[in-house]
């Protein structure tokens, strides 16, 4: 049946019922009755992984290229012309089987937040299926919709586009009965030639055949392009003191951490209290209010629910816990779909370490408990989870379905009274709970506590940036990802786990101890140590680390070890083409070639370092370096008798010098969202957000001084906020007395007085704020580039200066 729906030809018996779709061969869980769809993209081909999936027990495949069926005699293979199109057709057919209301959400920003908030607001009344995370692409949408089942009463799905003619296919898959447009920003403007009208017209194609549409008026632009939607649609336009809007926001008033929103709905005055004070959250909350009003909920019901809204970034936050554990906080929701996503995330983070789960009852699943919890137990077993701690009366009632060593508690209080994770030392612990169980209390109890300043690292942004640069590479060029200097301050181990999962070919570190740490945490990707001395070659060999050799002395050490030990790690020859730091210079080449003759070592690569690839003023010098490198490398290859990998390009050269791509590139600062140009930086995503909190707010009389040395005095009365971040955290003294800035509640606050070791003060005279308000040091605004500019340095130094006492928290999107 699946073959017929997808327009394909079946080879094999085809008797299995397909329940699960799989597109990623790295998925830790091979579900029974799963179908692997071999997608082909610019940088990947799923057909390469079919044989390994077959060896792992999978038997059902959809392909568009030839596969060797003789080696897979039990396989069922569906052949189609285009696997992506077939996936979309299959999902559209599946969607057509259900007649429930479906909300389709699009917009430049806020799609995921609006979707998750609608889930929070409606989950007590509806059994909701929704997009996991930000699955809103041509691939993510069909996988999201495939989750729909007879138990669901409402669907909420995102749809995102980056260029024309993408939305019609998503519309056919989602078939929303209610459409929501969050906003229209500048994201993906390039794909629409900066024509906002064309981009808006593409987005609202999603609403074709919708019967209700909620959208901002966009200063009248929407009215010009909305004629292509269903003629029977009821439009609920959102505006601010605009005539003709169904939801007209007449005023907003921020008070501390909340905001009062006054609006008129079809002329009737209503008031809501939103538990957020930043403008983006207020706008997203108003969108949710408009959706709920459209659905017929009254203001009292909405106010009761909206007061309970939680920030969306509670999901899948990774942090260090007590007893050497790694905690994954998913204490926000619990259903079978999000459990599968969380387990996959846990497997990526674990890399061979023991895995445990703290799991609450699954709420409002629509599946009888007698079927649900045995199925959950089977899912955990397939995922390789070794330890289970259940919380709640329902899961406890089915304890016999789980391993004998599993532990169960009736509620969160019992859990906290009896568990401290001491017997799970070193494990990766997923805390997965329905909101009503408040398992964030367990996260707070078990995490390794440091002070209130933290560096949030967005691993999904790293993935996005990696794929951006991969898309620039010439065919066949490999990637070495640089994770030296504590992963540019973001945490080398977590970055290395992600990059290994993403299939980079090499990792680069500065010193051997960095590489040893990665090996001790289960990283198996080849590692280049760029400054191997003074560590003995025996140590490098033992940890399978490959040294850079840059002079005759380091080369001879590698040769001597190989002769004494009978084996040796591969080496990488560094050439100095103009950087004049490390490496063989041109006049040293004869001695190098002589030493390499009959040497019992393998040369894995030849490399050099560009001095100014990002600076157009030195382009002639950069090209001179590339030419010199190629000339010297060819002479070495002639002596070796084989061709090692050649690499010279850093992040800047990947973008600006195609001729420097060669066999491999070294990607460093680009991974962290800093491009070679300002334009490229807009295409990347910021990875790190340094945030802290307001410790205290106080009024300073006119004429009083502030801080050490009485560095700040003013004849006017002022209001200041003290922040728990200082130069011991990397917020350096040069940022004092107005040189540095932070963002508090969407406003820029400048430093006042000298920066202290553990604290600093900022002027908030005109900024509404109070103790415990969030403070952004850098992230989206101010950006890392702006922060580095305030420091008078480069983003590299700004990132690597963040002290390790600052807690690193890892999120995805």
């Amino acid at each position: 049946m699946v073959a017929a729906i997808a327009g394909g030809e079946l080879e094999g018996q085809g008797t299995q019922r397909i329940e699960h779709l799989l597109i990623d061969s790295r998925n830790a869980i091979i579900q029974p009755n799963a179908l692997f769809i071999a997608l082909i993209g610019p940088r990947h081909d799923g057909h390469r992984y079919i044989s390994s999936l077959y060896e792992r027990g999978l038997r059902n495949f959809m392909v568009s290229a030839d596969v060797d069926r003789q080696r897979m005699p039990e396989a069922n293979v569906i052949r189609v012309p285009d696997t992506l199109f077939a996936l979309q057709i299959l999902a559209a057919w599946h969607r057509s089987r259900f007649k429930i209301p479906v909300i389709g959400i699009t917009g430049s920003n806020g799609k995921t937040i609006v979707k998750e908030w609608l889930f929070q607001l409606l989950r007590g009344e509806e059994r909701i299926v929704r997009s996991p995370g930000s699955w809103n692409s041509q691939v993510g949408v069909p996988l999201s919709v495939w989750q729909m089942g007879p138990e669901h009463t409402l669907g909420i799905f995102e749809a995102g586009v980056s260029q024309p003619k993408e939305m019609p296919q998503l519309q056919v898959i989602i078939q929303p009965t209610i459409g929501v447009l969050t906003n229209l920003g500048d994201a993906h403007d390039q794909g629409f030639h900066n024509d906002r009208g064309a981009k808006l017209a593409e987005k609202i194609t999603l609403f074709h055949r919708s019967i209700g549409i909620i959208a901002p008026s966009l200063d009248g632009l929407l009215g010009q392009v909305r004629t292509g939607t269903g003629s029977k649609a009821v439009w609920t336009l959102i505006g601010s003191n605009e005539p003709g809007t169904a939801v007209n926001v007449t005023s907003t008033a921020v008070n501390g951490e909340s905001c009062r929103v006054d609006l008129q709905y079809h002329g009737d005055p209503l008031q809501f209290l939103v538990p957020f004070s930043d403008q983006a959250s207020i706008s997203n909350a108003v969108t949710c209010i408009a959706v709920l009003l459209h659905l017929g909920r009254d203001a009292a019901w909405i106010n009761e629910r909206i007061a309970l809204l939680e920030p969306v970034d509670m999901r899948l936050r990774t942090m260090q816990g007590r007893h050497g554990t790694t905690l994954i906080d998913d204490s926000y929701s619990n259903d079978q779909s999000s459990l599968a996503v969380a387990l996959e995330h846990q497997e990526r983070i674990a890399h061979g370490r023991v895995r445990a789960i703290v799991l609450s009852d699954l709420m409002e699943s629509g599946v009888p408990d007698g079927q649900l919890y045995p199925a959950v137990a089977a899912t955990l077993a397939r995922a390789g989870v070794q330890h289970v701690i259940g919380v709640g009366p329902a899961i406890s009632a089915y304890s016999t379905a789980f391993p004998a060593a599993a532990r169960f508690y009736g509620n969160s209080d019992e859990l906290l009274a009896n568990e401290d994770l001491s017997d799970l030392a070193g494990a990766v612990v997923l805390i997965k709970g329905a909101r009503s169980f408040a398992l964030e209390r367990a996260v707070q109890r078990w995490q390794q506590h440091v002070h209130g300043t933290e560096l949030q690292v967005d691993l999904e942004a790293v993935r996005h940036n990696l794929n951006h640069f991969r898309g620039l590479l010439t065919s066949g060029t490999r990637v070495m990802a640089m994770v030296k200097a504590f992963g540019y301050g973001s945490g080398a181990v977590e970055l290395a786990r992600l990059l290994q999962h993403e299939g980079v070919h090499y990792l680069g570190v500065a010193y051997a101890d960095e590489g040893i740490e990665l090996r001790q945490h289960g990283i198996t990707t080849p590692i280049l140590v760029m400054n191997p001395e003074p560590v003995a070659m025996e140590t490098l060999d033992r940890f399978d680390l490959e040294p850079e050799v840059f002079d005759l002395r380091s080369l001879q050490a590698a040769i001597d070890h190989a002769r004494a030990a009978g084996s040796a790690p591969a080496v990488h020859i560094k050439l100095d083409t103009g950087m004049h730091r490390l490496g063989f210079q041109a006049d040293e080449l004869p001695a190098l070639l002589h030493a390499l003759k009959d040497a019992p070592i393998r040369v894995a690569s030849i490399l050099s370092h560009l001095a100014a690839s990002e600076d157009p003023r030195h382009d002639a010098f950069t090209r001179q370096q590339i030419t010199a490198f190629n000339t010297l490398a060819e002479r070495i290859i002639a002596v070796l008798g084989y061709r090692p990998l050649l690499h010279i390009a850093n992040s800047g050269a990947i973008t600006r010098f195609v001729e420097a791509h060669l066999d491999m590139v070294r990607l460093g600062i680009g991974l962290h969202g800093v491009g070679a140009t300002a334009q490229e930086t807009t295409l990347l995503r910021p990875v790190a957000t340094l945030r802290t909190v307001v410790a205290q707010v106080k009024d300073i009389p006119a004429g009083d001084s502030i801080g050490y040395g009485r560095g700040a005095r003013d004849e006017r009365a002022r209001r200041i906020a003290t922040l728990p971040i200082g130069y011991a955290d990397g917020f350096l003294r040069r940022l004092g007395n107005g040189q540095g800035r932070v963002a508090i509640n969407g406003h820029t606050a400048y430093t006042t007085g000298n920066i202290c070791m553990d604290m600093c003060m900022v002027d908030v005279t005109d900024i509404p704020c109070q103790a415990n308000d969030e403070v952004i040091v850098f992230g989206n605004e101010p950006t890392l580039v702006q922060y580095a500019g305030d420091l008078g340095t480069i983003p590299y130094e700004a990132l690597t200066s963040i002290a390790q006492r600052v807690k690193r928290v890892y999120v995805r999107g």
Side-chain angles (χ1 to χ4, degrees):
M1 185 175 182
V2 170
I5 295 166
E9 297 180 1
L10 173 65
E11 298 177 9
Q13 293 183 350
T15 56
Q16 281 192 321
R17 176 184 175 86
I18 299 301
E19 297 179 359
H20 308 282
L21 301 182
L22 178 66
I23 64 166
D24 190 341
S25 64
R26 298 163 296 188
N27 194 313
I29 308 171
I30 300 298
Q31 299 272 17
N33 304 326
L35 172 69
F36 177 72
I37 301 176
L39 299 179
I40 299 176
R43 295 174 295 275
H44 65 270
D45 184 350
H47 296 84
R48 299 175 185 170
Y49 310 106
I50 288 176
S51 60
S52 63
L53 285 167
Y54 185 84
E55 292 174 0
R56 293 170 60 190
L58 195 64
R59 293 295 180 264
N60 306 306
F61 304 92
M62 181 180 285
V63 303
S64 59
D66 291 335
V67 295
D68 188 354
R69 290 214 56 228
Q70 291 185 343
R71 296 186 178 182
M72 303 185 300
E74 299 176 4
N76 301 306
V77 177
I78 300 173
R79 295 182 182 275
V80 296
D82 183 330
T83 48
L84 174 59
F85 183 67
L87 166 64
Q88 294 172 337
I89 291 296
L90 192 58
W93 167 82
H94 183 70
R95 163 67 181 94
S96 67
R97 299 169 61 206
F98 303 99
K99 305 304 179 184
I100 63 174
V102 169
I103 300 174
I105 305 173
T106 190
S108 298
N109 307 103
K111 295 184 291 294
T112 300
I113 293 175
V114 168
K115 177 202 68 187
E116 292 298 324
W117 280 358
L118 286 174
F119 170 74
Q120 291 182 35
L121 292 162
L122 291 166
R123 62 187 169 190
E125 296 196 348
E126 304 282 356
R127 294 172 180 171
I128 300 172
V129 56
R130 71 194 194 282
S131 308
S134 299
W135 289 18
N136 56 38
S137 67
Q138 297 289 314
V139 174
V141 167
L143 292 177
S144 299
V145 169
W146 186 260
Q147 300 174 108
M148 294 180 73
E151 70 273 17
H152 297 122
T153 62
L154 175 67
I156 309 177
F157 302 111
E158 301 178 39
V161 295
S162 58
Q163 58 189 14
K165 300 182 180 180
E166 289 185 334
M167 190 63 86
Q169 190 61 34
L170 300 185
Q171 189 281 328
V172 172
I173 298 168
I174 298 175
Q175 301 172 39
T177 56
I178 300 170
V180 176
L181 176 70
T182 58
N183 55 41
L184 187 70
D186 56 10
H188 305 302
D189 272 358
Q190 280 188 319
F192 294 90
H193 305 289
N194 296 313
D195 185 340
R196 295 181 77 236
K199 182 167 68 173
L200 178 59
E202 177 73 17
K203 288 183 180 297
I204 66 174
T205 303
L206 177 64
F207 308 149
H208 182 58
R209 299 184 184 278
S210 296
I211 59 175
I213 301 170
I214 294 89
S217 68
L218 301 176
D219 298 321
L221 179 62
L222 188 59
Q224 301 172 29
V225 299
R226 75 183 197 182
T227 54
T229 58
S231 59
K232 297 180 180 179
V234 175
W235 284 78
T236 300
L237 293 184
I238 304 170
S240 180
N241 289 309
E242 293 181 45
T245 54
V247 177
N248 186 25
V249 180
T250 56
S251 68
T252 59
V254 173
N255 182 16
E257 298 180 354
S258 61
C259 177
R260 190 193 73 233
V261 177
D262 293 296
L263 58 81
Q264 291 183 337
Y265 181 57
H266 293 300
D268 296 329
L270 301 173
Q271 188 176 94
F272 301 93
L273 188 62
V274 175
F276 300 95
S277 57
D278 63 286
Q279 188 54 50
S281 294
I282 295 169
S283 176
N284 291 329
V286 169
T287 299
C288 292
I289 290 168
V291 173
L292 296 175
L293 290 170
H294 175 84
L295 292 174
R297 269 56 174 193
D298 61 39
W301 185 95
I302 296 173
N303 265 316
E304 180 181 341
R305 294 299 182 95
I306 212 164
L308 303 176
L309 283 181
E310 296 282 357
V312 171
D313 68 357
M314 288 179 66
R315 300 197 65 228
L316 293 176
R317 287 164 51 94
T318 304
M319 63 200 74
Q320 293 304 307
R322 295 181 179 180
H323 308 295
T325 58
T326 298
L327 305 181
I328 302 174
D329 179 8
D330 200 7
S331 57
Y332 160 68
S333 66
N334 199 13
D335 54 69
Q336 286 180 284
S337 297
S338 64
L339 175 60
V341 172
L343 289 171
E344 290 180 25
H345 177 71
Q346 183 186 35
E347 191 274 336
R348 293 191 203 107
I349 294 295
H351 277 281
R353 289 179 290 168
V354 171
R355 278 175 278 157
I357 187 170
V358 178
L359 183 68
S360 81
D361 289 351
L362 279 72
M363 309 298 288
E364 301 146 8
S365 70
V367 179
D369 287 354
Q371 298 176 24
L372 175 64
Y373 291 103
V376 169
T379 296
L380 299 181
R382 284 193 298 270
V385 176
Q386 294 100 324
H387 300 277
V388 178
I389 300 174
V391 183
I395 194 172
S396 298
Y398 290 90
S399 60
T400 56
F402 295 85
R407 305 191 288 266
F408 295 89
Y409 302 99
N411 53 53
S412 299
D413 291 335
E414 291 181 17
L415 171 75
L416 293 173
N418 291 278
E419 295 287 348
D420 66 357
L421 304 188
S422 57
D423 63 334
L424 296 174
V428 179
V429 184
L430 170 63
I431 296 96
K432 177 71 176 161
R435 189 70 193 91
S436 59
F437 284 87
L439 288 184
E440 69 272 12
R441 293 192 297 149
V443 176
Q444 294 164 2
R445 174 81 62 86
W446 296 336
Q447 69 177 297
Q448 182 178 341
H449 288 285
V450 289
H451 68 83
T453 299
E454 68 177 35
L455 186 72
Q456 179 176 289
V457 181
D458 185 347
L459 297 178
E460 197 59 41
V462 176
R463 188 201 310 272
H464 169 88
N465 297 340
L466 171 64
N467 287 333
H468 166 82
F469 286 101
R470 277 177 163 168
L472 302 178
L473 297 179
T474 50
S475 177
T477 300
R478 306 183 184 192
V479 174
M480 176 185 291
M482 305 306 297
V483 292
K484 60 183 181 177
F486 194 51
Y488 286 56
S490 296
V493 172
E494 295 300 335
L495 287 186
R497 286 174 177 148
L498 170 69
L499 295 165
Q500 177 169 276
H501 180 78
E502 291 300 310
V504 301
H505 298 88
Y506 262 91
L507 298 172
V509 298
Y511 295 102
D513 57 353
E514 296 175 326
I516 291 171
E517 181 186 23
L518 297 183
R519 290 286 185 246
Q520 290 174 334
H521 283 85
I523 301 301
T524 59
T525 299
I527 297 175
L528 167 60
V529 180
M530 307 193 79
N531 303 298
E533 293 185 327
V535 176
M537 284 290 169
E538 185 277 331
T539 301
L540 296 172
D541 195 4
R542 180 153 46 93
F543 287 96
D544 194 22
L545 304 175
E546 302 177 15
E548 173 184 291
V549 295
F550 48 83
D551 60 10
L552 289 175
R553 183 168 51 90
S554 57
L555 175 60
Q556 192 61 50
I559 293 172
D560 291 345
H561 173 72
R563 285 177 174 152
S567 66
V571 301
H572 301 252
I573 297 175
K574 178 69 170 288
L575 301 177
D576 183 359
T577 58
M579 179 77 171
H580 297 326
R581 190 171 60 182
L582 292 176
F584 292 93
Q585 298 190 95
D587 61 355
E588 297 173 302
L589 198 65
L592 168 63
L593 298 179
H594 178 75
L596 287 173
K597 289 180 180 178
D598 301 321
I601 57 173
R602 181 176 68 86
V603 177
S605 81
I606 306 170
L607 68 147
S608 188
H609 206 106
L610 296 174
S613 65
E614 74 287 346
D615 192 339
R617 296 174 300 172
H618 301 295
D619 282 357
F621 182 77
T622 298
R623 292 190 175 93
Q624 179 182 321
Q625 280 193 273
I626 296 169
T627 300
F629 174 70
N630 286 327
T631 300
L632 296 174
E634 289 301 327
R635 293 181 62 185
I636 296 173
I637 291 169
V639 170
L640 292 175
Y642 58 90
R643 186 179 184 86
L645 298 172
L646 304 185
H647 51 108
I648 191 172
N650 55 7
S651 296
I654 294 173
T655 303
R656 303 191 65 245
F657 294 94
V658 175
E659 65 269 32
H661 289 182
L662 304 178
D663 301 308
M664 187 160 65
V665 297
R666 300 191 301 273
L667 181 55
I669 195 66
L671 278 174
H672 299 270
V674 179
T677 64
Q679 181 180 10
E680 183 175 51
T681 299
T682 64
L683 301 176
L684 302 173
R685 294 182 185 174
V687 167
T689 299
L690 181 60
R691 50 162 47 103
T692 187
V693 295
V694 174
Q696 186 180 26
V697 177
K698 60 177 60 178
D699 294 309
I700 307 300
D704 275 18
S705 62
I706 297 171
Y708 283 123
R710 306 190 70 194
R713 300 180 68 177
D714 201 307
E715 296 308 314
R716 64 187 177 96
R718 287 180 291 169
R719 193 166 178 254
I720 67 167
T722 301
L723 315 179
I725 184 172
Y727 59 77
D729 302 298
F731 196 73
L732 304 181
R733 278 177 56 84
R734 70 188 78 159
L735 293 171
N737 294 302
Q739 178 63 28
R741 55 183 153 165
V742 299
I744 303 177
N745 295 330
H747 301 274
T748 300
Y750 289 90
T751 57
T752 181
N754 291 314
I755 306 298
C756 311
M757 179 182 289
D758 307 300
M759 288 174 280
C760 69
M761 288 71 74
V762 295
D763 191 326
V764 294
T765 302
D766 300 314
I767 300 174
C769 65
Q770 60 186 6
N772 296 320
D773 278 1
E774 181 182 70
V775 179
I776 302 298
V777 180
F778 64 76
N780 286 322
E781 187 69 30
T783 65
L784 173 61
V785 173
Q786 291 170 330
Y787 175 73
D790 292 344
L791 279 167
T793 187
I794 57 177
Y796 296 81
E797 182 181 3
L799 270 178
T800 56
S801 295
I802 305 303
Q804 292 198 32
R805 81 173 188 177
V806 174
K807 177 174 63 176
R808 269 66 175 176
V809 174
Y810 299 93
V811 300
R812 287 183 178 266

